[in-house]
Amino acid sequence: MTDNPHGALFRPIVPHKHNRVTYAELFFDLVFVFAITQISHTLLAHFTPLGVLQVTLLFLAVWWVWVFTSWITNWLDPEKTPVRLLLFAMMLGGLVLSTSIPAAFDGRGLWFAIAYAAMQVGKTVFLWVSTPPSRPRTRMNAIRIAAWLSMSAVFWIAGGLAQGEWRLALWLTALVIEYISPAVRFWIPRHGASSVSDWVIEGGHMAERCALFVIIALGESVIVTGATFAELVWSAESVAAFISVLAGSIAMWWIYFHTGAEAGSEQISKSSEPGRLARLAYTYLHMPIVAGIIVAAVADELVLKHPGGHSDLKTVISSIGGPLLFLCGTILFKYSFRGFLQLSHGVGIVALCVLAWFASDLSPLVLSILTTAIMIVVAVWETISLRPGAAE
């Protein structure tokens, strides 16, 4: 039996059936391949405390607009022409957003803000208008979300018009508004908060969408590796660095996909409250996973270009920080559906922290090899420990 057939643009939800990710959604994701590349390059060019804060804010905005779109396309059916046209319009906004990233705190701040606010508010109003009166709870949920995003849009636009510290403060305020909104279930005066039952989703689809975004981030890392290596004079050091950073990306893939992604998809598909698990495991806990891959990509480029000598602070922070963020995200993500912390991941986190103490005395190449070795050990340990009959 399908979920409420009266919403013409809504996905039919059939028990025990996984709705596939559509080609329109994959086409839409191409914009975010570009966005991730822009974030990575901007971080590399502005690796100062202020620059890191600014790029973090931009990353959180990019992640949030993408994941909110994934919620919308989980409810609405991208095989329907109006929903496809919405995604194509969002692609235009996403390209404006992405091209504005390097100068978002300079001359293109207003363009970034307008594109972001238009995407967030626009798709939510589309959901509201597309929801028939026969689905009053879904319609009210869309109204609540639109109210919160409209409030944050005021701060985005104001920040785009402001300069310097005021822009940063206003945009941070906008992000805080948006990030707390799901946690308080989009409470608004008179109408209260949504219930978790209002967030009926197709869990397998949401899990697949987020897994594909992890692939986007890993793909950007591989592109950086290949493009940088292609420009180098090939030597023993550069080849060793190339092998090390590629092996690090493969280890990240293994840690996330070998058991975690499929187990998470299966768990959310069986959950009696898939909306609650999607909010925690996929909306929030995937942020450090993706951020870790992006930071690791910055380290990869630094190591490939300068494998010898002592590691400077930028190289240390990115080489340790990327895998550390990734492991912190994956251990929490897996805890959300397994109910226990992976010992392998915890040991990997501790090992990276210990390595950070003397990382500056190592060459970038040696540091890369050691961080990659830690990630490989984590991947192998988890694989062995989760075999039938084994226990971590």
Side-chain angles (χ1 to χ4, degrees):
M1 182 178 179
T2 60
D3 183 62
N4 199 330
H6 301 295
L9 297 183
F10 280 71
R11 285 180 183 266
I13 298 180
V14 181
H16 311 298
K17 183 179 178 181
H18 179 173
N19 281 326
R20 67 178 180 84
V21 174
T22 64
Y23 294 125
E25 291 171 280
L26 294 174
F27 188 40
F28 168 76
D29 285 350
L30 293 178
V31 171
F32 288 86
V33 175
F34 179 48
I36 291 298
T37 301
Q38 291 283 78
I39 289 171
S40 176
H41 290 171
T42 303
L43 178 59
L44 185 61
H46 300 87
F47 213 105
T48 64
L50 177 60
V52 170
L53 176 60
Q54 291 174 341
V55 173
T56 300
L57 187 152
L58 297 174
F59 163 72
L60 292 175
V62 167
W63 169 255
W64 211 238
V65 74
W66 181 87
V67 80
F68 261 50
T69 305
S70 295
W71 278 85
I72 295 292
T73 57
N74 191 283
W75 290 322
L76 301 179
D77 187 358
E79 296 291 271
K80 305 292 185 180
T81 298
V83 183
R84 281 185 176 175
L85 293 176
L86 169 67
L87 284 176
F88 297 155
M90 292 276 291
M91 289 179 73
L92 174 61
L95 281 172
V96 174
L97 184 85
S98 301
T99 53
S100 302
I101 285 173
F105 285 90
D106 294 315
R108 291 189 179 175
L110 184 58
W111 283 105
F112 181 92
I114 290 173
Y116 182 88
M119 292 172 75
Q120 288 290 71
V121 176
K123 65 173 176 276
T124 311
V125 171
F126 182 93
L127 173 65
W128 176 5
V129 172
S130 301
T131 307
S134 59
R135 302 172 69 124
R137 294 175 65 179
T138 303
R139 192 178 181 88
M140 180 52 65
N141 192 38
I143 292 172
R144 290 186 179 98
I145 297 172
W148 277 82
L149 293 178
S150 297
M151 178 168 57
S152 70
V154 173
F155 290 92
W156 282 112
I157 301 301
L161 293 170
Q163 299 291 331
E165 294 179 358
W166 275 107
R167 177 174 295 176
L168 181 62
L170 288 165
W171 282 1
L172 282 172
T173 302
L175 273 181
V176 169
I177 291 170
E178 294 195 25
Y179 270 75
I180 67 170
S181 59
V184 299
R185 293 183 283 125
F186 301 101
W187 180 93
I188 57 175
R190 295 183 60 186
H191 297 286
S194 298
S195 66
V196 175
S197 61
D198 294 334
W199 302 350
V200 176
I201 63 165
E202 204 287 284
H205 173 267
M206 178 63 74
E208 186 179 354
R209 293 294 290 127
C210 290
L212 287 171
F213 200 90
V214 173
I215 286 287
I216 288 173
L218 285 170
E220 195 276 335
S221 177
V222 171
I223 290 170
V224 166
T225 298
T228 305
F229 186 60
E231 296 175 355
L232 298 175
V233 175
W234 292 4
S235 64
E237 271 194 335
S238 64
V239 170
F242 173 73
I243 294 171
S244 176
V245 299
L246 181 59
S249 295
I250 293 171
M252 285 183 170
W253 181 94
W254 196 277
I255 290 168
Y256 179 85
F257 283 98
H258 180 64
T259 57
E262 189 64 32
S265 177
E266 183 178 348
Q267 188 66 31
I268 194 173
S269 297
K270 295 178 178 178
S271 174
S272 60
E273 292 185 328
R276 187 187 298 276
L277 185 56
R279 180 184 63 178
L280 174 62
Y282 292 97
T283 304
Y284 288 117
L285 294 183
H286 267 63
M287 285 184 299
I289 295 174
V290 176
I293 296 170
I294 294 172
V295 175
V298 171
D300 293 346
E301 186 167 350
L302 291 171
V303 170
L304 282 166
K305 288 182 175 179
H306 306 287
H310 288 288
S311 298
D312 60 12
L313 186 60
K314 183 192 299 187
T315 303
V316 171
I317 291 175
S318 56
S319 296
I320 301 291
L324 192 60
L325 272 173
F326 177 83
L327 284 181
C328 287
T330 52
I331 195 174
L332 293 174
F333 166 59
K334 293 173 184 179
Y335 175 77
S336 69
F337 58 83
R338 284 182 179 154
F340 64 89
L341 295 172
Q342 299 288 155
L343 179 60
S344 55
H345 294 43
V347 171
I349 290 169
V350 172
L352 287 169
C353 291
V354 171
L355 180 59
W357 281 102
F358 53 89
S360 59
D361 296 328
L362 305 173
S363 70
L365 175 57
V366 172
L367 180 58
S368 174
I369 291 172
L370 289 175
T371 56
T372 295
I374 290 170
M375 298 300 282
I376 290 173
V377 168
V378 171
V380 172
W381 185 345
E382 181 186 31
T383 300
I384 294 173
S385 68
L386 292 180
R387 286 176 178 173
E392 259 198 318

